[in-house]
């Protein structure tokens, strides 16, 4: 897909969401804190800033579409095995110091 085609798809997606929510471009622009021209621009397949896109998605309650970009820490099986090996398997048998029974702390 070309860059222009991707921008066009984003615009179609936003228009579809807006119409499903029965919201006008002016209402969406007001809710997103943008100009109606910006909404019209993205819906017509013209590029907008990333910040504008985020504001529009937030106003449409659709930020979940960005979850694809979420990075999670993954641990390799070898690193996991090393961590498991480092965990204690037994108690050392040494007890913590017991308080002196004669000293009542007064």
């Amino acid at each position: 897909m070309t860059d222009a085609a991707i921008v066009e798809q984003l615009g179609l997606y936003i228009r579809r969401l807006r119409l499903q929510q029965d919201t006008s471009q002016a209402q969406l622009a007001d809710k997103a804190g943008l100009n109606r021209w910006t909404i019209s621009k993205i819906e017509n397949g013209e590029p907008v800033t990333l910040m504008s896109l985020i504001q529009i998605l937030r106003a449409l309650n659709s930020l979940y579409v960005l979850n694809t970009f979420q990075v999670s820490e993954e641990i390799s099986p070898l690193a996991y095995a090393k961590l498991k090996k480092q965990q204690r398997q037994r108690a050392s048998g040494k007890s913590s110091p017991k308080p002196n029974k004669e000293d009542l702390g007064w």
Side-chain angles (χ1 to χ4, degrees), residues 1-21:
M1 248 178 151
T2 66
D3 293 348
I6 293 170
V7 171
E8 188 176 338
Q9 286 293 314
L10 284 170
L12 291 173
Y13 179 76
I14 288 170
R15 177 179 288 154
R16 185 172 50 99
L17 282 176
R18 179 179 63 79
L19 293 174
Q20 283 177 350
Q21 295 179 15

Side-chain angles (χ1 to χ4, degrees), residues 75-84:
I75 187 166
S76 72
L78 291 176
Y80 180 72
K82 285 181 183 179
L83 283 174
K84 289 299 274 183

Side-chain angles (χ1 to χ4, degrees), residues 13 17 21 56-67:
Y13 179 76
L17 282 176
Q21 295 179 15
I56 292 167
L57 290 173
R58 178 173 284 120
L60 291 169
N61 295 319
S62 298
L63 281 175
Y64 64 87
V65 299
L66 300 177
N67 288 346

